[in-house]
Amino acid sequence: MIKRTVTKQAQIKLQNRRRSLKLLAIAMTVLLLADVAGMVLLTPLAEARTPSTRFTVSYNANGGRGTMANTTVTHGISTPLRRNTFTHSNPDMVFVGWHARRVNANGRNEWRYVSGAGAIRWIQQGATIPAGFARSLYRDQHSVSATTSLNNGQVTMFAQWAPSRF
């Protein structure tokens, strides 16, 4: 019978690898948390891609005028949205932020909603909105990093306007 001797250093290295694998396994079963300008965006890790995954953010004037260049975002890297340059034809309307719509893996549109408690959900267009949820509002130049995890995914930011005088 052969007796194998393992050095203390080799034991530590093996323990560290096992610990890393356990942490990876845990991470794969929970949600990926991405800081999105003060809010936490929850995206199922199963949908997440490698950091080289890119998506495009386009901008819709939503009743306003003008054009804005797209923003390319690498998943997991915080990238600010462009500063709004749209104007509204009604001088009493002011820009207040962006509503986000993304295309999911099934090619369907989803809107980003937030509850009063801060829970984030992407809800398919036309679906029933759960009680307590409203469309979330991204502020101007808000940073995004995990708005979608689909490679070559598409997110559209819709300008939101409100009367300047109440």
Side-chain angles (χ1 to χ4, degrees), residues 109-120:
N109 290 326
E110 297 177 326
W111 292 89
R112 185 176 187 262
Y113 285 81
V114 63
S115 73
I120 305 290

Side-chain angles (χ1 to χ4, degrees), residues 101-157:
R101 183 186 74 193
R102 71 180 182 185
V103 178
N104 68 20
N106 298 322
R108 295 192 176 110
N109 290 326
E110 297 177 326
W111 292 89
R112 185 176 187 262
Y113 285 81
V114 63
S115 73
I120 305 290
R121 285 195 193 166
W122 286 91
I123 299 174
Q124 190 169 308
Q125 188 167 320
T128 302
I129 310 307
F133 278 81
R135 281 201 186 155
S136 61
L137 190 69
Y138 286 90
R139 70 181 190 281
D140 205 17
Q141 296 180 294
H142 182 101
S143 289
V144 296
S145 64
T147 311
T148 184
S149 59
L150 297 176
N151 196 24
N152 298 316
Q154 180 66 46
V155 176
T156 304
M157 295 293 177

